[in-house]
């Protein structure tokens, strides 16, 4: 019953209130995973054309880059045209981000927020912009991945993960309630935490654990 309510009531209601499309994308991905190679190719080419057209119309950095490389915007084979464009270096992105030429001229039409990478081996974070469309699709893909692991939205699960505040943010707590996850803060690992974690697993007969591998190894 909880799985049914989560998929058909709790999640759609949460998306409606937040004006998001996580559950819609999730259900579409569950369908598209069974498409044949021809159907998938058509979708990929359509999405690619939409992205490149958007960049050519709205993003000065990419428009100039395509022009210099000789990219034919009127071509029927964008995959072939992409071979003309050189690999984008991290430093180029940083400079373009600083000058704002890599930001779309119509960025105000989208709900976006700045994201930063960890910096990798260089130690220098890389800034990017992520809109809700991308975030929702990414979250939907994550849920589909969990389903591949035989986990259904709404089944009782535990999350042994890091969070900055002891109890987590209100937004995180509400999200966990909807998805039926109990979270244990991996940033506060000690014997007491692991004992509570163990007792919760036993008492609630939890079958799914989402965790850092290193944290779970310490627990075991």
């Amino acid at each position: 019953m909880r799985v049914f309510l989560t998929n058909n009531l709790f999640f759609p209601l949460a998306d409606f209130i937040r004006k998001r499309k996580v559950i819609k994308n999730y259900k579409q991905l569950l369908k598209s995973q069974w498409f044949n190679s021809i159907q998938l190719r058509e979708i990929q080419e359509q999405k690619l054309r939409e992205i490149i057209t958007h960049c050519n119309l709205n993003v000065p950095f990419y428009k100039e880059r395509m022009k210099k490389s000789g990219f034919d915007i009127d071509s029927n084979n964008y995959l072939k045209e992409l071979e003309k464009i050189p690999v984008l270096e991290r430093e180029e992105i940083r400079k373009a981000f600083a000058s704002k030429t890599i930001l779309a001229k119509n960025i105000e039409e989208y709900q976006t927020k700045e994201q930063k990478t960890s910096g990798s081996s260089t130690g220098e974070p890389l800034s990017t912009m992520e809109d809700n469309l991308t975030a929702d699709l990414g979250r939907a893909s994550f849920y589909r991945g969990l389903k591949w692991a035989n986990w259904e939205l709404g089944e009782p699960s535990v999350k042994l993960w890091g969070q900055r505040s002891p109890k987590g943010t209100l937004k995180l707590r509400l999200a966990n309630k909807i998805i039926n996850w109990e979270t244990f803060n991996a940033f506060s690992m000690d014997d007491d935490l692991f004992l509570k974690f163990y007792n919760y697993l036993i008492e609630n007969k939890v079958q799914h654990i989402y965790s850092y591998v290193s944290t779970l190894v310490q627990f075991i």
Side-chain angles (χ1 to χ4, degrees):
M1 177 60 74
R2 177 57 191 264
V3 171
F4 176 82
L5 291 175
T6 298
N7 282 270
N8 297 282
L9 179 60
F10 300 151
F11 244 117
L13 181 59
D15 274 356
F16 176 76
I17 293 173
R18 297 168 60 233
K19 297 181 180 180
R20 306 296 289 267
K21 296 182 179 179
V22 177
I23 196 68
K24 179 181 179 180
N25 285 323
Y26 172 65
K27 291 183 176 180
Q28 287 178 339
L29 287 175
L30 292 181
K31 292 180 181 179
S32 65
Q33 67 183 338
W34 304 112
F35 288 173
N36 60 42
S37 59
I38 296 177
Q39 290 173 305
L40 291 175
R41 178 82 173 202
E42 289 176 351
I43 293 173
Q44 290 168 347
E45 290 184 353
Q46 176 190 346
K47 296 297 183 183
L48 176 62
R49 185 167 292 277
E50 289 174 358
I51 291 173
I52 292 178
T53 300
H54 164 76
C55 289
N56 185 61
L57 292 175
N58 299 294
V59 187
F61 175 81
Y62 287 120
K63 181 176 183 177
E64 181 65 20
R65 195 174 186 84
M66 287 189 288
K67 182 179 179 181
K68 284 185 177 180
S69 66
F71 187 99
D72 183 6
I73 197 67
D74 297 318
S75 172
N76 291 322
N77 190 347
Y78 275 6
L79 285 175
K80 186 67 176 178
E81 291 299 309
L82 282 177
E83 297 176 4
K84 300 177 180 179
I85 302 178
V87 175
L88 188 60
E89 300 291 340
R90 293 170 67 92
E91 188 56 35
E92 291 179 288
I93 300 176
R94 290 195 182 93
K95 290 180 179 178
F97 198 90
S99 66
K100 297 184 178 182
T101 57
I102 205 169
L103 301 182
K105 293 184 293 186
N106 63 339
I107 194 172
E108 293 81 9
E109 298 176 16
Y110 302 88
Q111 291 177 299
T112 62
K113 59 182 177 180
E114 183 175 347
Q115 303 280 3
K116 289 183 179 293
T117 66
S118 61
S120 186
S121 58
T122 66
E124 284 189 73
L126 183 69
S127 293
T128 60
M129 300 299 292
E130 180 182 76
D131 62 15
N132 285 347
L133 298 174
T134 303
D136 291 351
L137 185 56
R139 177 56 55 174
S141 299
F142 170 69
Y143 290 149
R144 184 180 64 172
L146 294 181
K147 186 173 177 63
W148 289 345
N150 200 33
W151 177 86
E152 296 283 352
L153 282 176
E155 287 184 335
S157 309
V158 292
K159 184 178 181 182
L160 189 56
W161 207 252
Q163 55 190 43
R164 298 300 177 185
S165 60
K167 294 183 178 180
T169 63
L170 176 60
K171 180 179 178 181
L172 177 62
R173 295 199 300 272
L174 288 174
N176 286 339
K177 284 294 182 182
I178 292 174
I179 202 173
N180 205 14
W181 262 355
E182 183 68 24
T183 300
F184 293 82
N185 191 359
F187 288 169
S188 302
M189 293 182 297
D190 55 28
D191 291 341
D192 183 55
L193 171 73
F194 284 142
L195 180 59
K196 291 178 180 178
F197 182 61
Y198 173 79
N199 288 334
Y200 186 87
L201 293 178
I202 299 301
E203 292 171 4
N204 295 275
K205 299 180 180 180
V206 173
Q207 298 183 17
H208 305 287
I209 301 173
Y210 183 74
S211 170
Y212 299 116
V213 174
S214 57
T215 305
L216 200 55
V217 168
Q218 291 186 50
F219 168 70
I220 296 173

